Amino acid sequence: MTKVVNALENRKSKPLIISDFSPPKTLKLDFLNDVRTLDVDFIFVAYNPGRSVRIESSVLAYVIFQETGKEVIFSMVTRDMNKLALQSHLLGARFLGLENVVIAGGDSFGKSESSLIKSVNDYKPTELMRAVQSMNLGKDFRGRDLSDPIDICVGATIDLGRDIYQEAFLTYQKVRSGAQFFITQPIFYPSQISEFLEAYWEISGTNLIEPVF
């Protein structure tokens, strides 16, 4: 498997393409036929889109890599698990050979769902990113030694559909927390990109040099 940042360095002028992929709710492998036809560099496996029960993202990413040979990214959200569970999932994902994760907060549950399910949010996304960097150095959330550093490449998200200045500030916090690349939500107005980059410069005093997809 290959880290996103390493793959990008080796591409030179050719674009690196990442395809978003929603996990199925089925136990059948028919969906892999769709994956095999995608002419992309990475498959980015989303985490429970629609807040519905689906195949867990790291498990599906592993199966996609094993069955198709395509490079993968899995996603995690801080909404659903506590620190112990999240770090155990990361350790398990790295045991499977996965090298790329995108961390997000996850959409909030609606009022109609509150009687069925509760949010955890033991970490903020930036806190989990910092925790991953500690795990990359061989330390868990208690400061205890892991037998091996996990060495995972951490990505984050950008949503220019929200307030540009606040999103630029949040992106800067994610960079400071260890984000190595970013994946945006769909962008419908190109002017938002220049506005965002200008806001990022104003906030941080530097350009955003981390790759943004």
Side-chain angles (χ1 to χ4, degrees):
M1 296 188 189
T2 305
K3 291 183 174 67
V4 170
V5 291
N6 292 339
L8 185 62
E9 288 176 357
N10 296 330
R11 296 310 291 268
K12 298 180 180 178
S13 61
K14 185 179 178 182
L16 188 147
I17 300 174
I18 299 172
S19 175
D20 193 31
F21 192 84
S22 293
K25 301 179 181 181
T26 178
L27 299 180
K28 299 179 177 63
L29 294 177
D30 296 350
F31 67 90
L32 289 172
N33 295 326
D34 294 329
V35 177
R36 290 189 179 95
T37 63
L38 294 173
D39 185 16
V40 297
D41 300 295
F42 282 86
I43 304 293
F44 172 40
V45 182
Y47 178 90
N48 294 75
R51 302 186 299 276
S52 59
V53 177
R54 297 171 184 264
I55 297 175
E56 199 274 327
S57 58
S58 63
V59 171
L60 183 58
Y62 173 75
V63 171
I64 287 174
F65 178 78
Q66 289 294 312
E67 295 294 326
T68 71
K70 293 185 181 294
E71 297 290 351
V72 291
I73 306 166
F74 72 99
S75 56
M76 298 185 72
V77 302
T78 57
R79 179 193 61 210
D80 299 343
M81 292 180 278
N82 65 20
K83 293 176 181 179
L84 178 61
L86 286 165
Q87 292 204 348
S88 295
H89 268 70
L90 284 163
L91 191 62
R94 193 64 188 94
F95 179 75
L96 294 175
L98 302 179
E99 294 191 275
N100 302 288
V101 62
V102 167
I103 292 172
D107 295 332
S108 299
F109 296 119
K111 292 182 179 179
S112 62
E113 299 169 301
S114 61
S115 63
L116 299 173
I117 190 167
K118 304 297 181 184
S119 298
V120 178
N121 294 316
D122 211 7
Y123 277 124
K124 295 178 182 178
T126 50
E127 291 171 340
L128 181 54
M129 291 172 203
R130 289 194 292 270
V132 174
Q133 299 310 321
S134 293
M135 294 181 75
N136 283 343
L137 297 174
K139 297 287 185 180
D140 70 9
F141 70 94
R142 291 189 175 97
R144 296 175 181 172
D145 290 334
L146 300 170
S147 296
D148 302 284
I150 63 172
D151 191 24
I152 282 183
C153 181
V154 181
T157 59
I158 295 174
D159 185 357
L160 298 189
R162 299 186 291 207
D163 180 86
I164 293 291
Y165 195 88
Q166 290 182 0
E167 196 66 11
F169 177 79
L170 182 56
T171 300
Y172 177 54
Q173 296 303 314
K174 291 175 180 178
V175 170
R176 294 182 63 190
S177 299
Q180 296 167 269
F181 68 96
F182 290 89
I183 295 179
T184 76
Q185 296 291 336
I187 298 173
F188 299 101
Y189 302 100
S191 61
Q192 292 177 324
I193 299 173
S194 58
E195 292 172 9
F196 169 78
L197 293 175
E198 289 172 4
Y200 187 89
W201 169 265
E202 181 180 342
I203 290 165
S204 67
T206 62
N207 290 318
L208 178 60
I209 61 174
E210 285 70 20
V212 180
F213 300 95

